[in-house]
Every structure is written in C-alpha cells, then in structure tokens.
Amino acid sequence: MKITTHVLLTAGILLTSIGLAGCQMGNSSQSSQSSAPAAASAKSSSEPAKLAEYNGIIKTARSLNQDGQYKASNKALNQIDITDLSEKAYATIKTEYFDLQKSNDQFLLKKNAASSSSAAAKSNNGSSKQAAAPAPTTNNSFSGYGKYTGHYFFYNTNDDRIQSGLNISSDGSVIQNNSDGTTFSGTAYIQPSSQGGILSYDVSSDSNDTKTITANVAIVVTWSNGEKETYYGYTGYDGSTVLTDGQPYDGDLVNEVWQKF
C-alpha cells in the first residue's frame, strides 16, 4: 500500500508539473505570437502620421516655391528625412521632393548668375556693357557610367555639417543642396580609377565605422568658384553606389561620403 501511495503521489505531481509547464509554454507562445503583430501594427500606424507630416512639408515648400522664395523652399524640404524616400510608401513624396528641389535650384542658379553678371558690370569702371556669367562646361564623360548619375544623400550627417543632397546629371552638371537652403553648382568629369587605400564609411553598418576602399572611378568636380574636388566611386557591401572624397574629418571621421538611393 505504501508503494501504491507513493506511485499515485508521484504520478499526481508529474501530471501537475506537466500541466503547469504546458500552461507556461502556451502563454510564452501566445506572447511571442502577439508581440510580432503588435510591432508590425506600431510600424504601420506610424507611416500614415509621417506621410501626413511629409505632405505638409511638401505643401509648404511648394507654396514657398510659387512665391519665389526658393532658398526657403529648399530649407523646408530639408525637414524630410531623405533616407525614407527609398521606401515604396513614399514614392509620391519622393517625386514631388525632387521636382521641387530641381525647380528651386534652377531659379537659384539663375539668380546667382544674374548677381555675378551685375557685379562684373559694376566693377568694369561703370561701363554699361555687362560681362556674361560663365556657362558651366558640360561633357559626355558619364555616357558609359550611368550608375554614378542621379541623387545622393550625405551619409552620417551631423549638426555642424550643411551638406544634404548631391545630384549628378548625365551631362556632368552637379548640384549640391545644403541644409541652410543654399546650393553649390559645378561640373563633373568621370574616369576609371583603381586607386586603393581610400578612406570611407561602411555605409551598410549605418554607423561611423570607417574602412578603406579601392575605387572603381574618380569623379573630379569643378565648382563654380573654381575649386576642384575629387570623389572616388565604388560599390558598397550592400550594393549601393557610394562616393567618398577620402579625406579625414575631425579626427576619426570622413569629410564627405555620399550614398546613392
């Protein structure tokens, strides 16, 4: 009888333990299953809010553009996180963003050219004959390098850096947009390069991690003020097209790295 009692007690304890374990496993499974939809729901619910915010920014930038306040319009556009524009949900925002930016840049460049022409005329001993502003010298060097034309964003932006976006057109014309609404213009010439040991960021890490790369191309930009700057182009670990000037900045950082999207 004692043996029977022990067996029954042991069996009861085992059944109770198994039941409790089953409950715990069930609760854990339900918890993990419910957390995934919750995370997805949180992400999906944040998208409409951001879309509404970006649509408001686009509306403001468009109004400023129509009022002739092109610099202010560009500054408004800089409130949009340019990395979001690579996502399908923001396709319409992306189109309007670049259309407005292009329009602003065209008018700003015309305005700058007119100012330069006027200043040259005034410095010409009061002569009424105005010196024409120098036209950018375009070229067809990018005809075989379409991969390197298009829109880039400034990687790893800091509050003390004004760089925002870079656009290289197929005719070699270059526009750099800055967070303060200003723009820089120039002309680029591309050529093959195999130079190694060039400093850049590991753009796939989304961090300040640096690395050295071997270039595929070298792009020499001549800015409108005559300054020349060389960017080295290559393909990042994540398959994206990247430009770096290879110059150190503030100790352990890189001066300029641009990632195409």
Side-chain angles (χ1 to χ4, degrees):
M1 292 293 293
K2 288 181 180 179
I3 294 175
T4 304
T5 302
H6 283 304
V7 170
L8 289 172
L9 286 171
T10 302
I13 291 169
L14 284 171
L15 287 171
T16 302
S17 300
I18 291 169
L20 288 171
C23 289
Q24 290 174 351
M25 289 176 67
N27 289 338
S28 175
S29 175
Q30 289 175 359
S31 175
S32 62
Q33 288 175 0
S34 62
S35 63
S41 176
K43 182 179 179 181
S44 62
S45 63
S46 67
E47 278 189 354
K50 187 174 279 191
L51 277 171
E53 178 190 353
Y54 285 177
N55 276 315
I57 293 171
I58 290 292
K59 184 177 179 180
T60 299
R62 188 187 301 114
S63 177
L64 289 167
N65 172 276
Q66 291 169 350
D67 289 342
Q69 300 182 55
Y70 309 114
K71 185 175 178 179
S73 179
N74 269 344
K75 198 166 185 178
L77 289 174
N78 284 327
Q79 297 176 66
I80 293 175
D81 185 350
I82 200 169
T83 57
D84 285 337
L85 302 185
S86 60
E87 297 181 21
K88 188 178 293 185
Y90 300 96
T92 302
I93 298 292
K94 178 180 178 179
T95 300
E96 295 196 57
Y97 176 96
F98 285 116
D99 284 348
L100 275 170
Q101 192 178 72
K102 184 177 181 180
S103 174
N104 291 333
D105 292 346
Q106 286 175 339
F107 282 105
L108 284 170
L109 290 174
K110 287 179 182 178
K111 187 176 180 181
N112 290 338
S115 298
S116 299
S117 179
S118 177
K122 288 179 181 178
S123 65
N124 192 21
N125 296 323
S127 171
S128 60
K129 188 176 181 179
Q130 295 186 1
T137 305
T138 55
N139 58 78
N140 62 356
S141 66
F142 283 87
S143 60
Y145 296 95
K147 172 182 177 178
Y148 293 96
T149 62
H151 300 287
Y152 293 79
F153 67 90
F154 189 60
Y155 182 83
N156 201 39
T157 54
N158 297 315
D159 291 339
D160 63 337
R161 311 301 301 277
I162 66 168
Q163 296 94 327
S164 176
L166 185 74
N167 183 65
I168 302 177
S169 299
S170 58
D171 64 357
S173 56
V174 180
I175 297 289
Q176 178 182 312
N177 292 282
N178 303 311
S179 58
D180 60 358
T182 59
T183 58
F184 300 151
S185 62
T187 306
Y189 185 87
I190 189 170
Q191 58 190 6
S193 174
S194 57
Q195 185 170 333
I198 300 170
L199 185 66
S200 187
Y201 286 122
D202 177 5
V203 297
S204 62
S205 69
D206 194 27
S207 70
N208 289 346
D209 293 345
T210 58
K211 66 175 185 176
T212 56
I213 61 97
T214 298
N216 300 126
V217 297
I219 300 174
V220 180
V221 177
T222 303
W223 297 106
S224 57
N225 64 357
E227 180 184 346
K228 290 183 182 291
E229 193 166 11
T230 300
Y231 297 102
Y232 298 94
Y234 67 98
T235 302
Y237 292 142
D238 59 357
S240 62
T241 301
V242 185
L243 304 179
T244 176
D245 67 357
Q247 301 300 314
Y249 173 79
D250 197 23
D252 58 349
L253 302 177
V254 188
N255 185 45
E256 284 192 26
V257 174
W258 300 89
Q259 185 177 14
K260 187 177 177 181
F261 67 97

